[in-house]
Amino acid sequence: MNTSPPPSDFTVPLSLEPHHQAEQFRKNQSNPQKGKQIYLNTLAIYATRFYLECLGFEPDLDASDGLNPVQQMLLGTAGLAVADQGQLECCPVLPGETELTIAPEVSCDRIGYVAVQLDNNLRLATLLGFVSEATEPVPLAQLQPMEDLSQLLTPSMAQQRMQRATQQASEQITQLSQWLQNLADDSWQALDSFVNPASLAFRNQTTGLGEGVIGRCKRISLNDQDVTLALGLLPLSESSTEIQVQVYCTQEQTYLPPQLQLSVLDADNQDVMQAEARATEAIQLKFTGSPGEQFSLRVALQNASFAETFII
């Protein structure tokens, strides 16, 4: 969502599109007075929808009473649904009117009521403000400013999914101390699951062999490109562990995708180390850490990335 909302008295030009839709709805009404009201409601809905999209919210047009011919006929509503939240009533205000009047039929089942002033030529719609509830006419001067509307609405569905994903990621921190006890979740497999362990470069720097190195790997996919992420642990002392990280091409590939990047991030999510593939079979990073220290690994290729957080 945008951090800077549009200002108060936000004005929306009314192009041919909303007028065409309003005319189609008006034609469905045999009562001229109701047809006129629905025409104005449709313009108010269009302007409010435009504003919501500027804020980053997702109007749900299919669930909006104000765009449903049956609900228009029964209630004369100007309801605009916001994904996963409810409906805003988009109330048209004509020039010279000084109050926002809310129809009794929609006075108790809306998350808010937006005053949309239409000019004499129906070419401009100005969002004056809103109220969260009202049983009596509200003077336009007492409306809450439009920039406060985002406080009334909860995050959109896409943002909720992102927040859930972030929360799940934070909950799924991999405890490397468990690897030392031969415990790991199913996503991290034995080294010979995807790669030939003889080809791995995990080495004890003292012996030159893989002695004492505890390693696991997982297959990840970025832009339909499969690679293997391997992580090895070499305890150096009670207070220090060497971390060896490698990204390998799969057996079906000769080289890693060009410009694939491997990064190590600190606890503040800042890059501290990085390696990039350049016609190579593998890339590697190595560092040491202390028990309880947190870091993240990120593998990125163009606009796709994989990240996971670990605690030593």
Side-chain angles (χ1 to χ4, degrees):
M1 184 185 305
N2 296 335
T3 56
S4 299
S8 298
D9 295 345
F10 185 75
T11 298
V12 179
L14 298 174
S15 61
L16 291 178
E17 176 191 348
H19 281 281
H20 176 74
Q21 185 180 40
E23 179 62 19
Q24 295 301 311
F25 287 147
R26 186 193 66 79
K27 288 179 178 179
N28 294 331
Q29 303 299 322
S30 57
N31 184 316
Q33 187 62 30
K34 177 169 283 191
K36 177 182 178 181
Q37 185 61 52
I38 289 175
Y39 193 105
L40 300 177
N41 289 351
T42 305
L43 298 181
I45 291 172
Y46 174 86
T48 306
R49 168 191 170 187
F50 184 92
Y51 184 87
L52 290 175
E53 290 173 342
C54 288
L55 287 177
F57 290 97
E58 300 178 23
D60 187 346
L61 304 185
D62 292 336
S64 298
D65 288 349
L67 301 177
N68 183 315
V70 175
Q71 294 296 335
Q72 290 173 348
M73 184 177 298
L74 294 175
L75 300 177
T77 175
L80 174 63
V82 184
D84 292 342
Q85 300 177 56
Q87 299 199 56
L88 289 168
E89 190 71 13
C90 312
C91 307
V93 177
L94 296 178
E97 294 183 343
T98 60
E99 294 181 329
L100 173 64
T101 302
I102 298 170
E105 296 86 350
V106 295
S107 62
C108 61
D109 64 347
R110 295 292 188 254
I111 58 176
Y113 305 84
V114 179
V116 184
Q117 188 172 65
L118 304 173
D119 70 348
N120 286 317
N121 298 320
L122 302 183
R123 291 292 178 263
L124 295 174
T126 301
L127 282 73
L128 301 178
F130 74 98
V131 291
S132 56
E133 58 182 19
T135 56
E136 298 179 353
V138 179
L140 299 181
Q142 296 180 12
L143 295 173
Q144 299 180 56
M146 288 303 300
E147 55 260 39
D148 291 345
L149 182 64
S150 59
Q151 300 176 16
L152 179 70
L153 303 174
T154 57
S156 65
M157 184 185 301
Q159 292 167 317
Q160 289 174 348
R161 286 197 297 266
M162 184 179 297
Q163 290 172 351
R164 285 195 295 267
T166 302
Q167 181 179 5
Q168 290 170 356
S170 65
E171 292 173 352
Q172 296 174 355
I173 296 177
T174 299
Q175 303 284 340
L176 293 179
S177 59
Q178 296 181 353
W179 289 19
L180 302 177
Q181 304 171 39
N182 199 29
L183 299 174
D185 65 64
D186 294 339
S187 66
W188 286 94
Q189 302 294 317
L191 291 177
D192 58 358
S193 299
F194 306 130
V195 296
N196 181 354
S199 68
L200 283 168
F202 289 160
R203 292 290 183 267
N204 184 318
Q205 299 303 310
T206 301
T207 65
L209 303 174
E211 298 175 353
V213 180
I214 299 170
R216 290 187 172 271
C217 63
K218 68 165 49 180
R219 179 75 60 84
I220 60 177
S221 181
L222 303 170
N223 289 336
D224 297 325
Q225 297 278 343
D226 289 340
V227 297
T228 300
L229 173 65
L231 191 152
L233 307 176
L234 177 60
L236 302 177
S237 66
E238 292 185 357
S239 60
S240 180
T241 299
E242 184 176 272
I243 311 295
Q244 302 178 30
V245 186
Q246 300 166 31
V247 177
Y248 278 82
C249 57
T250 62
Q251 295 177 353
E252 296 81 12
Q253 300 168 316
T254 303
Y255 300 110
L256 288 172
Q259 298 182 338
L260 181 140
Q261 293 181 337
L262 168 64
S263 303
V264 177
L265 295 77
D266 62 17
D268 295 323
N269 213 34
Q270 300 296 314
D271 283 0
V272 293
M273 302 180 70
Q274 189 174 88
E276 183 172 316
R278 298 182 186 274
T280 53
E281 297 180 4
I283 51 178
Q284 176 177 346
L285 293 172
K286 183 171 58 178
F287 57 98
T288 58
S290 304
E293 189 173 348
Q294 179 176 307
F295 69 93
S296 298
L297 299 178
R298 182 174 62 216
V299 184
L301 178 62
Q302 298 173 348
N303 61 342
S305 66
F306 163 86
E308 187 164 338
T309 301
F310 303 84
I311 290 183
I312 301 173

